[in-house]
Amino acid sequence: MNTADLGLPVDVPSTALFTDQYELTMLQAALAAGTAERRSVFEVFTRRLPEGRRYGVVAGTGRVLDAVENFRFDADVLGFLRERKIVDEPTLQWLASYRFGGDIWGYPEGEVYFAGSPVLRVEGSFAECVLLETVILSILNHDSAIAAAASRMASAAGERPLIEMGARRTHELAAVAAARAAYVGGFTTTSDLAAGFRYDIPTVGTSAHAFTLLHDHERDAFQAQVNSLGRGTTLLVDTYDVAEAVRTAVEVAGPELGAVRIDSGDLLLVAHRVRQQLDELGATQTKIIVTSDLDEYAIASLAAAPVDAYGVGTQLVTGSGHPTCSMVYKLVARAESADLKAPLEPVAKKSLGGKTSIGGRKWAARRLDEHGVAEAEVVGVGPVPGELADRQLLVELVKGGRIVAREPLDVVRDRHAAARANLPLSATQLSRGEAVIPTEYV
């Protein structure tokens, strides 16, 4: 199923106003100055990884492609801009026919990145490229932050599945994007039906404490759920007394009970007690799912516990302490005209405070050691060294305004698992540290 073509209600008809006003006022001034059509190269990168993180995860690329395709100034949008007098009439006329016609290259979604990695490169006229800054950054900064947190949680969980369940902890549309990014990072399912509908992510869910409290007795609630959903359902056992609930759950569903969920208390201790009780009652195949404000550290602390799956909400959808990746969108090269043969000149901001940029249209490659493990992120301008020619990271995403690299989400998810596996083993450590490989500029 090509979910990009579904036209679902969680989408908006145009992404053109997902931007900052200064992008339009820059456009107006450049049009008037005659510089708007100068061939330009913008790059997305971060100057540093979030404190303590050892690698980043590229996520949201597929959503960026959708946003670029839907970046259209329809009559309502133009009317808003005209009424507010945000730009002048010549600029409005230019916007009315706007279609991005340039090229976009980038790290394939799911790939890992480091400080200075040119995660996305946007090429075209200054006018058509500058308008995309905010929408691109808002998607990549959000989704990559969620995916990075998800990746750390997946590493901590090992082979145990992870359930994304953070929809109630964030904006309703952000929740859909977060579920997608979590899936890229290694989560297996989501509780959010909009995410399942939009992106075909597997969905799960059974009952909350309210369902138990609705009934006169816990047994009545369990019986109603089993009657409706079958013996393979998951029963929530911590509304009242956990031990009593587990006993009742097995009595009602039998040893075929699918799973029990624990949402409070000392999860390590309770999980051991519940596993022992389930086994004694003959429910040896019944799984234990734990929830309750988990993050990667809590998941890691449960590695020795008899837990079969984790449900994660708040910490996941807020990036587990780092809700943004601090990516920026910078002009790195431009020509003196729109002529495709005009040479590109490197440009860069020079400032204090760690905000200096490096000019020039860049390539990136990942150098491997003799064991095939990544040892450096190499970023350069100009010819690519021969030994790195087959290790280049950027791929073509948009060519002449046409999207050429849409792919199924499962492909992206598998790519991330492979990329993470090719990093040094220390990448999976949760302790604070520096980037797992250095960035080298050549």
Side-chain angles (χ1 to χ4, degrees), residues 166-178:
R168 66 191 60 195
R169 305 302 188 198
T170 188
H171 184 279
E172 65 272 17
L173 297 184
V176 181

Side-chain angles (χ1 to χ4, degrees), residues 73-94:
F73 292 84
D74 58 26
D76 289 340
V77 171
L78 292 170
F80 165 78
L81 297 175
R82 181 176 289 110
E83 178 185 349
R84 295 290 184 93
K85 295 181 171 50
I86 291 173
V87 290
D88 61 19
E89 198 61 34
T91 305
L92 290 172
Q93 293 176 15
W94 189 94

Side-chain angles (χ1 to χ4, degrees), residues 1-8 10-11 66 180 194-201 406-409:
M1 176 171 59
N2 187 357
T3 54
D5 295 332
L6 291 177
L8 301 173
V10 293
D11 287 337
D66 291 342
R180 182 187 184 280
F197 186 47
R198 177 70 180 87
Y199 296 114
D200 204 26
I201 301 171
R406 277 204 175 96
E407 54 191 354
L409 201 54

